[in-house]
Amino acid sequence: MKKDEAIDEFIRYMVGERGISKNTIITYKEDLMIFSSSTTKEEANDFNNNDIYEFITAMSNEGKSSSTIIRRVTTIRQFYKFLQKEKIIINQSKNVELPKLNEHLPTVLSLDEVEELFKMPNMEKKEGIRDRAMLEIMYSSGLRVSELLNLELSSIDRNYDCIIINGKGNKQRMVPIGDFARDYLIKYINEVRNKSKYKNSKYVFLNNQGGILSRQYFWRQIKKYAQEAGIFQNVTPHTLRHSFATHLLENGAELRFVQAMLGHENIATTQIYTHVSSKRILSAYELYMNKN
């Protein structure tokens, strides 16, 4: 069986038999397509552990984080397990040693950096209005990038006060929309989206062909805007979510509230932002002491 056919069969299996969420399926497919493109093998029957090891090496050389490598290898293991079920290969992927997860604090922007970043989209252009609305919504509501890109019109309150999000594990949560984000979202919908020939699409943020924007596009745009704003940290779409959570805690929000906003199942996942916040406060204190 051709490898691309095998990936398609695996995705259909995960949707039909396992009931995996839409966002997880998108991630699985992206991971497997990246894995597929990393090897010259065309037949799924030829896959073995060496392909995984070579993939891990390539990702390490590209500077991918341990968490990204672990997630992708976990996806490949699921894929190999499916291939064995279909009697295509003998699955030995459980023997592949995963890299150790590096514990590090997430990158967080200051409030001034957030403001400078948001000034970068060209509001004279349709794409700029759309990008500004996306940045504002992601930061205002702490969305994951997949939640932002798959946001549907029906999920937005008619007064543009809040959004219903279908997060990981198909769990719903309601998040508010900040005033600035609300204004830019309304501007985008009224001045750009509703004047497009694709206005009947169920999705909020559309590309020039009326489809959903890709993660790669949004990632590139944020990188570009950060560079133009003179921000030299490694800024990604997730940086806005990190910044949102950290700024909430720094302004007195309860940890449980931040957990609910982010859609974290385990509060331990949210607690990392308390460490980020403490580190930022300590850094500011040391800077103040050095000046006095």
Side-chain angles (χ1 to χ4, degrees):
M1 179 185 289
K2 296 292 183 183
K3 59 183 180 181
D4 290 345
E5 294 175 1
I7 291 173
D8 289 340
E9 288 291 332
F10 169 72
I11 296 299
R12 280 193 286 270
Y13 168 76
M14 296 302 281
V15 172
E17 300 293 327
R18 301 286 299 277
I20 302 298
S21 71
K22 180 180 178 181
N23 290 336
T24 301
I25 287 299
I26 291 172
T27 301
Y28 277 1
K29 190 159 188 177
E30 286 181 353
D31 288 344
L32 291 175
M33 293 309 293
I34 293 170
F35 171 63
S36 175
S37 64
S38 73
T39 174
T40 58
K41 292 180 179 178
E42 293 297 329
E43 300 291 332
N45 313 61
D46 296 329
F47 282 152
N48 54 46
N49 283 359
N50 287 336
D51 299 297
I52 302 179
Y53 284 123
E54 290 176 2
F55 188 48
I56 291 173
T57 300
M59 286 191 289
S60 297
N61 292 338
E62 291 173 5
K64 299 298 183 186
S65 67
S66 297
S67 58
T68 296
I69 294 173
I70 290 170
R71 190 201 72 229
R72 288 179 177 171
V73 172
T74 301
T75 299
I76 295 168
R77 281 177 167 174
Q78 289 284 341
F79 179 50
Y80 273 30
K81 187 176 179 180
F82 167 76
L83 293 180
Q84 175 168 282
K85 174 181 172 294
E86 297 298 310
K87 297 181 171 54
I88 295 173
I89 65 169
I90 296 174
N91 177 28
Q92 296 181 328
S93 60
K94 64 181 180 181
N95 297 326
V96 174
E97 187 174 344
L98 295 173
K100 291 183 179 179
L101 185 62
N102 296 325
E103 292 188 5
H104 64 279
L105 297 179
T107 299
V108 173
L109 300 179
S110 68
L111 288 171
D112 288 341
E113 287 173 330
V114 170
E115 288 185 11
E116 288 303 311
L117 178 69
F118 288 4
K119 291 177 184 177
M120 293 304 107
N122 185 350
M123 297 298 287
E124 299 297 318
K125 295 183 177 180
K126 296 176 182 179
E127 292 82 0
I129 296 173
R130 178 199 61 204
D131 289 356
R132 177 67 185 264
M134 292 177 73
L135 292 172
E136 292 278 0
I137 288 292
M138 191 169 193
Y139 174 72
S140 166
S141 303
L143 304 188
R144 298 179 177 92
V145 65
S146 58
E147 294 168 347
L148 177 75
L149 298 178
N150 290 283
L151 185 63
E152 298 182 7
L153 286 171
S154 60
S155 298
I156 303 174
D157 176 80
R158 64 179 181 178
N159 295 319
Y160 295 91
D161 292 326
C162 61
I163 306 171
I164 301 295
I165 297 297
N166 289 312
K168 287 186 175 180
N170 283 326
K171 291 186 177 180
Q172 282 194 343
R173 70 185 192 277
M174 181 182 292
V175 294
I177 303 174
D179 291 341
F180 283 107
R182 179 179 181 273
D183 291 344
Y184 281 102
L185 177 60
I186 291 173
K187 180 178 179 67
Y188 162 68
I189 289 177
N190 289 342
E191 298 180 16
V192 178
R193 194 193 177 287
N194 285 352
K195 293 182 180 180
S196 164
K197 63 180 179 180
Y198 304 112
K199 64 182 180 180
N200 291 327
S201 170
K202 67 179 181 178
Y203 296 105
V204 177
F205 299 109
L206 307 176
N207 60 26
N208 292 333
Q209 290 74 46
I212 300 175
L213 292 158
S214 69
R215 290 182 182 218
Q216 291 82 358
Y217 169 83
F218 194 51
W219 185 87
R220 288 195 303 269
Q221 289 299 96
I222 286 188
K223 290 284 185 184
K224 183 187 78 170
Y225 293 143
Q227 187 176 29
E228 291 172 351
I231 301 171
F232 301 106
Q233 299 184 72
N234 180 30
V235 180
T236 70
H238 222 60
T239 303
L240 293 178
R241 180 169 157 91
H242 295 322
S243 302
F244 159 82
T246 303
H247 295 165
L248 279 180
L249 289 169
E250 288 178 344
N251 284 279
E254 294 289 336
L255 190 62
R256 289 286 182 186
F257 171 76
V258 178
Q259 177 192 8
M261 289 283 287
L262 295 175
H264 286 160
E265 184 172 344
N266 192 329
I267 198 167
T269 309
T270 317
Q271 282 176 325
I272 189 172
Y273 296 110
T274 63
H275 301 307
V276 175
S277 184
S278 299
K279 182 180 178 182
R280 280 162 58 84
I281 292 170
L282 181 61
S283 177
Y285 174 76
E286 289 176 345
L287 183 62
Y288 169 78
M289 293 299 293
N290 290 335
K291 287 183 176 179
N292 292 277

